[in-house]
Amino acid sequence: MAPPAAIPWYQDLVIYEVYVRGFYDADGNGTGDLRGLTERLDYIRGLGVGAIWLLPIFPSPRKDDGYDVSDFRGIHPDIGTLDDFRILLEKAHEAGLRVLVDLVLNHTSDQHPWFQSARRGPGHPHHDWYVWSPTPAPHPDVRVIFSDTESSNWTLDPACGLYFWHRFYAHQPDLNYDNPEVRAAMLDIARYWLDLGVDGFRIDAAPYLFEREGTLCEGLPETHAFLRALRGVCDTFSPPRILLAEANQSPEELAAYFGQGDEVHMAFDFPLMPRLFLALRREDARPIIDILRRQPVLPAGCQWAMFLRNHDELTLEKIDPDDRQFMWDEYAGLPGARFNLGIRRRLWPLLSGGRRQIELLHALILSIPGCAVLYYGDEIGMGDDVRLGDRMGVRTPMQWTTGPNAGFSTADAADLYAPVITDPEYHFAGHNVQSLERKPSSVVNWLRRVLITHRANPGFRGAPMRILDVENPAIFAFVRENAAGTVLCVNNLSQFMQPALIPSGNWKGLTPVDLIGGAALPPVSEEHTLLTLGPHSFYWLRLDSR
Ligand code: GLC
């Protein structure tokens, strides 16, 4: 059956997050580049994803790996030129891939010409583009996000004798969104990239644009008004370009980012992400079910973007302190793995390479309504290296072959922007695209099959979910139903086999058919359907009337 009409292009899209510096080095200087990424688009397309999201591509001193922007209209010379970017866009679109870029709205680098001018003092151009104070007293209750390195959100600028406000590193001064010139400049920058042809933005650090005394300075009404203005810019393009917000907030706070369907199209599901890992280790689906039940119903055309890992630490900021400690105990055993209020490890090392657990977590983010965002390298089981500092340990070069530098670059190993992973457990010799593509049972081939299944099933496009009451706490079962059909998804969070007694509702006479393998189970005949699930296994069953 065809999917229902009028489903927007981004509905239930699968996005692949790419770190351009780390993906493929076409010019052999040790750093990945846009030309390299363009050369490897076939690989990404072959995975079955529909879009790529590029981490910041702008000129930057790279003290926060590009999230410290010094020119919003250029391309970092390490990764190429604007022409390279245009070619990437063209080739990606030809291959049927949409392209999202990271837009860092909240702050600039202290090397940005705006800040360089601003720090010369009041009266100088751009001074009012930043947030200044004669004392570090205002907004005392606002949390410090980078708590490992920063002790305050204010830093004294010696050149100007005033304190400037920064939610992240002290070299990343926040822009002053109260200044209409700043708002206009940032909307112009968005328009500039949209005119070039990008399909949307990941909005970095969305909650922090405005400050108001007596508040926590997060998600203020003024911030939402600006995001709506940005949405207005996107909507002047056809088909509409999309906004994906990075806002690490509670489900209730996150609801505001969707507005009345007139703000962002998607927001990362920060509430769900840590609870997937929590549920897995507790072998109990309730953390997942509880948080999904707390989530607001989203306006039409809006959805969550679910993810397992990304380029940052696995953040535990927004979960109960007891759960946080449990997560640290379970997942951050390696010295140095803890970072700020999170864990800086990649997916495979977090799960000790537990293949069934990795499959189960992917199945969850693909089957719960919304987008799934995959992080480059996780599909080949890449390891990490906490010794690299900050979050660089999860941003090492993509591993393509068993050859020198894992086939990432022809440069001398000493010239790579970061070393390839060579620890015995995750050595690139065993975790690289070439070797794993040849192995039918590899996780990358498994993922491809699952993504094909996901894409081919209209039941996964735009269909709402209904969580089913199942007594066994290790089981998480739900259905997705729309005019195109019903898909029953059953997940076993336990490391042991489990029974799942599923309430059959009005399915009597229907035949459950495994979406992936095609096998048919006996037709539903009772009030409850008994399924037996192997350790950490999942079923996607289409309910057929034949
Ligand atoms: C976001 C990015 C992170 C960066 C921070 C400051 O959280 O994901 O990598 O350090 O913003 O821009």
Side-chain angles (χ1 to χ4, degrees), residues 64 67 104 107 146 168 172 202 204-205 246 311-312 391 395:
D64 185 13
Y67 283 97
V104 189
H107 46 266
F146 285 172
F168 296 94
Q172 288 165 309
R202 177 230 186 221
D204 182 63
E246 185 217 20
H311 61 290
D312 288 328
R391 290 144 293 171
R395 303 175 188 173

Side-chain angles (χ1 to χ4, degrees), residues 420-494:
V420 293
I421 299 293
T422 53
D423 71 69
E425 234 178 319
Y426 295 99
H427 196 290
F428 70 82
H431 294 267
N432 66 78
V433 172
Q434 184 187 47
S435 307
L436 295 178
E437 280 191 333
R438 287 182 190 163
K439 195 171 155 191
S441 63
S442 69
V443 76
V444 64
N445 284 325
W446 173 86
L447 187 65
R448 266 199 198 110
R449 283 194 297 279
V450 169
L451 290 178
I452 289 169
T453 306
H454 178 262
R455 213 178 39 236
N457 275 281
F460 281 136
R461 296 208 59 208
M465 109 190 282
R466 181 161 56 85
I467 297 174
L468 301 173
D469 287 322
V470 177
E471 244 171 63
N472 185 342
I475 300 294
F476 172 43
F478 61 92
V479 281
R480 294 198 59 182
E481 287 169 310
N482 64 12
T486 301
V487 182
L488 167 63
C489 303
V490 191
N491 305 277
N492 176 13
L493 275 306
S494 160

Side-chain angles (χ1 to χ4, degrees), residues 131-144 151-155 162-167 211-217:
V131 182
W132 300 99
S133 166
T135 71
H139 320 309
D141 298 330
V142 174
R143 68 187 168 127
V144 172
S151 52
S152 166
N153 289 314
W154 291 107
T155 290
L162 293 170
Y163 289 83
F164 62 89
W165 179 249
H166 56 89
R167 291 308 302 273
E211 300 75 35
R212 287 289 176 267
E213 199 51 63
T215 74
L216 296 177
C217 299

Side-chain angles (χ1 to χ4, degrees), residues 17 53 55-56 63-68 102 104-107 145-146 167-169 172 202-206 208 246 248 270 310-313 339 390-391 395:
E17 174 184 356
W53 148 36
L55 295 183
K63 287 191 186 166
D64 185 13
D65 211 6
Y67 283 97
D68 46 332
D102 222 302
V104 189
L105 290 176
N106 178 66
H107 46 266
I145 299 169
F146 285 172
R167 291 308 302 273
F168 296 94
Y169 287 122
Q172 288 165 309
R202 177 230 186 221
I203 305 297
D204 182 63
Y208 314 117
E246 185 217 20
N248 187 3
F270 277 102
N310 62 18
H311 61 290
D312 288 328
E313 72 276 22
F339 184 69
D390 204 324
R391 290 144 293 171
R395 303 175 188 173

Side-chain angles (χ1 to χ4, degrees), residues 104-180:
V104 189
L105 290 176
N106 178 66
H107 46 266
T108 69
S109 160
D110 60 6
Q111 301 306 306
H112 196 293
W114 297 341
F115 189 73
Q116 288 300 315
S117 167
R119 61 191 301 215
R120 291 168 65 203
H124 283 91
H126 299 112
H127 180 78
D128 293 338
W129 284 41
Y130 294 87
V131 182
W132 300 99
S133 166
T135 71
H139 320 309
D141 298 330
V142 174
R143 68 187 168 127
V144 172
I145 299 169
F146 285 172
S147 51
D148 279 6
T149 38
E150 305 300 326
S151 52
S152 166
N153 289 314
W154 291 107
T155 290
L156 179 66
D157 183 62
C160 137
L162 293 170
Y163 289 83
F164 62 89
W165 179 249
H166 56 89
R167 291 308 302 273
F168 296 94
Y169 287 122
H171 55 72
Q172 288 165 309
D174 275 34
L175 285 163
N176 174 17
Y177 274 80
D178 271 320
N179 184 337

Side-chain angles (χ1 to χ4, degrees), residues 193-424:
W193 291 99
L194 294 171
D195 279 337
L196 274 173
V198 307
D199 298 289
F201 300 113
R202 177 230 186 221
I203 305 297
D204 182 63
Y208 314 117
L209 306 184
F210 282 81
E211 300 75 35
R212 287 289 176 267
E213 199 51 63
T215 74
L216 296 177
C217 299
E218 300 190 5
L220 296 175
E222 295 82 350
T223 293
H224 290 296
F226 179 79
L227 292 174
R228 284 196 298 277
L230 182 60
R231 167 65 179 263
V233 172
C234 291
D235 286 350
T236 61
F237 290 80
S238 174
R241 314 297 168 85
I242 58 166
L243 297 176
L244 164 56
E246 185 217 20
N248 187 3
Q249 309 274 288
S250 70
E252 294 76 16
E253 289 161 334
L254 272 168
Y257 290 80
F258 299 100
Q260 309 295 317
D262 56 355
E263 208 169 311
V264 305
H265 303 77
M266 305 194 226
F268 283 105
D269 201 336
F270 277 102
L272 177 65
M273 184 276 296
R275 289 169 175 96
L276 293 171
F277 290 91
L278 191 63
L280 194 65
R281 275 296 175 277
R282 290 210 200 273
E283 304 191 38
D284 185 337
R286 280 171 296 190
I288 300 176
I289 296 173
D290 291 349
I291 203 74
L292 290 176
R293 290 215 159 113
R294 251 178 77 188
Q295 283 183 343
V297 177
L298 301 185
C302 294
Q303 63 184 335
W304 297 105
M306 286 161 288
F307 64 108
L308 300 172
R309 290 298 300 113
N310 62 18
H311 61 290
D312 288 328
E313 72 276 22
L314 189 167
T315 171
L316 302 172
E317 271 173 310
K318 295 282 178 172
I319 62 174
D320 291 345
D322 289 352
D323 288 340
R324 184 184 305 136
Q325 193 55 51
F326 176 81
M327 290 278 288
W328 270 331
D329 294 344
E330 289 291 320
Y331 288 111
L334 183 78
R338 279 169 65 155
F339 184 69
N340 295 326
L341 287 183
I343 305 170
R344 51 177 164 188
R345 300 222 69 183
R346 265 190 181 264
L347 185 64
W348 277 62
L350 275 172
L351 300 176
S352 311
R355 171 73 186 263
R356 279 195 296 256
Q357 299 171 53
I358 286 159
E359 292 183 6
L360 176 63
L361 290 185
H362 277 98
L364 284 165
I365 62 167
L366 286 165
S367 56
I368 297 172
C371 265
V373 186
L374 310 176
Y375 186 47
Y376 88 97
D378 283 350
E379 77 279 12
I380 53 164
M382 264 173 69
D384 53 30
D385 188 348
V386 296
R387 296 167 309 175
L388 297 180
D390 204 324
R391 290 144 293 171
M392 287 307 290
V394 300
R395 303 175 188 173
T396 60
M398 179 68 178
Q399 299 162 185
W400 295 99
T401 69
T402 53
N405 301 329
F408 161 73
S409 169
T410 54
D412 288 345
D415 291 333
L416 297 190
Y417 78 91
V420 293
I421 299 293
T422 53
D423 71 69

